[in-house]
Amino acid sequence: MDAAAQQGFGEILSHVIGWAYFIAWSASFYPQAILNWRRKSVQGLSMDFIYLNVLGFLCYSIFNLSFYYSPEVQEEYRKRNDGQDNLVRANDVFFAVHALILSSFTLFQTLIYKRDEGQKVSSPTKLLILISTFGASIVFGAAYAGTSQWIDVLYYLSYIKLGISFIKYCPQVYLNYASQSTVGWSIHNILLDFTGGALSIGQLVLDAYISGDWSGISGDPVKFGLGFLSIAFDLIFMTQHFILYRNRKDFYAPLSMVENNGEAHESKKLLLSPGHRTYSSIQREDARVSRPASMKDLELGFDDSQHSTRH
């Protein structure tokens, strides 16, 4: 195989890998949204993760859209990289925009579905979002005034995304550890995310090899960093789910969801035991306050005044 044919095959393979990672990474957003919808609850899901995810993919979408569509940004990149074109592809653009839409939808779910009383965005996360937004406005103002280039704004946004990609997973890792459970956190999301991360790095390395320009990797640090961090944290989540916290009984799931999973008989026995009663009564105890026994509880022989502190 001559050099031209080898390069042509490599470009085709790059496109295949690129769209494969797009499918895997894009599909990874659906299991969590579907799980939230089936449970009618976001309990077990970190609010910090959700809000940081939206901010991160907003930055990533702006970065990819500008690198792919803006002639001015493309020219600025060539001047800094010895005339080489940037390695942002169409699949990178579609993935970033799709991820922004789905992560925003998941954020919307947290506003309408059941969540714990203390399940809120933490003060450090609010501060991080504020600082990132303020910094972006300063860099944008400098580019608008002509004291810096637009590509500098985009690199700043890419660093925000890269930093968020590291930080956003930490609250969920800790939440799983604190609850000794991964209930509410979709493992299918993680498996698809792991696949997408590996394919994303594979495409970036292959493109750099084909072009003979390994600076293309440093020229798109967010894509390489995003893939690397995804793989690293996905390994942690898989360890938590499959090895450390294997008891994944979901007491907050609707009974119809349990029945559809073929566990109705066992779950009903569990739920009607004095320690658990019904899913709705468990959810009403989230605030740790007692209440008079309902007619339903009295019919079942249970009194909330005796079990208001039991879980």
Side-chain angles (χ1 to χ4, degrees):
M1 183 180 295
D2 57 30
Q6 186 177 7
Q7 183 174 0
F9 174 76
E11 291 176 352
I12 294 175
L13 181 60
S14 173
H15 284 298
V16 172
I17 293 176
W19 287 106
Y21 108 68
F22 164 77
I23 293 173
W25 250 350
S26 296
S28 71
F29 288 87
Y30 287 91
Q32 187 64 58
I34 293 172
L35 180 63
N36 295 341
W37 172 73
R38 293 182 67 196
R39 299 171 74 229
K40 298 297 186 290
S41 168
V42 293
Q43 287 160 311
L45 187 61
S46 169
M47 294 298 102
D48 291 343
F49 172 84
I50 296 300
Y51 279 82
L52 289 173
N53 218 23
V54 172
L55 175 60
F57 281 115
L58 175 61
C59 294
Y60 195 39
S61 295
I62 296 173
F63 176 89
N64 282 327
L65 285 167
S66 300
F67 264 72
Y68 192 75
Y69 287 110
S70 172
E72 182 177 357
V73 171
Q74 292 169 358
E75 183 59 29
E76 289 176 357
Y77 181 89
R78 293 189 192 98
K79 290 179 179 179
R80 294 191 183 188
N81 293 274
D82 301 323
Q84 297 288 338
D85 291 328
N86 71 76
L87 298 180
V88 173
R89 301 290 181 255
N91 54 270
D92 298 321
V93 177
F94 281 107
F95 163 69
V97 174
H98 177 269
L100 176 60
I101 294 172
L102 264 293
S103 58
S104 298
F105 177 74
T106 306
L107 174 60
F108 172 73
Q109 288 182 313
T110 68
L111 303 177
I112 63 174
Y113 289 150
K114 170 72 177 179
R115 63 182 183 182
D116 293 323
E117 184 180 358
Q119 198 174 0
K120 301 176 182 178
V121 181
S122 67
S123 296
T125 295
K126 292 179 181 178
L127 181 61
L128 176 61
I129 293 174
L130 180 62
I131 292 175
S132 299
T133 305
F134 181 71
S137 65
I138 292 177
V139 178
F140 179 86
Y144 185 80
T147 57
S148 66
Q149 295 182 312
W150 290 109
I151 196 172
D152 296 317
V153 179
L154 299 176
Y155 276 132
Y156 178 82
L157 294 178
S158 74
Y159 296 141
I160 291 178
K161 169 57 182 169
L162 197 56
I164 285 177
S165 294
F166 173 77
I167 297 172
K168 71 176 184 180
Y169 288 113
C170 295
Q172 188 66 53
V173 171
Y174 177 77
L175 183 61
N176 294 344
Y177 163 76
S179 61
Q180 297 291 290
S181 172
T182 58
V183 168
W185 179 243
S186 174
I187 190 60
H188 301 96
N189 161 37
I190 298 306
L191 297 176
L192 288 167
D193 191 55
F194 180 85
T195 302
L199 292 173
S200 174
I201 292 179
Q203 185 193 33
L204 190 61
V205 172
L206 179 60
D207 285 344
Y209 172 76
I210 293 173
S211 65
D213 176 30
W214 293 97
S215 67
I217 295 179
S218 60
D220 191 359
V222 64
K223 182 174 181 179
F224 180 80
L226 184 61
F228 178 80
L229 288 173
S230 294
I231 291 174
F233 276 98
D234 289 339
L235 290 173
I236 295 175
F237 287 126
M238 285 188 277
T239 301
Q240 288 183 319
H241 185 83
F242 292 113
I243 300 176
L244 299 179
Y245 315 133
R246 302 183 66 180
N247 181 14
R248 295 184 285 273
K249 184 67 68 176
D250 188 354
F251 296 116
Y252 292 103
L255 191 56
S256 59
M257 178 179 171
V258 179
E259 290 172 344
N260 290 335
N261 289 337
E263 302 174 358
H265 180 69
E266 178 185 351
S267 297
K268 283 178 180 177
K269 288 175 61 179
L270 176 64
L271 292 172
L272 295 179
S273 66
H276 297 287
R277 302 187 314 286
T278 65
Y279 281 119
S280 59
S281 64
I282 291 175
Q283 293 179 5
R284 285 193 294 269
E285 287 183 1
D286 284 344
R288 306 294 196 272
V289 294
S290 60
R291 60 170 179 80
S294 66
M295 291 303 296
K296 181 67 174 178
D297 289 337
L298 292 174
E299 289 171 2
L300 295 172
F302 303 131
D303 187 339
D304 264 356
S305 64
Q306 297 176 8
H307 303 292
S308 60
T309 61
R310 296 185 60 177
H311 295 81

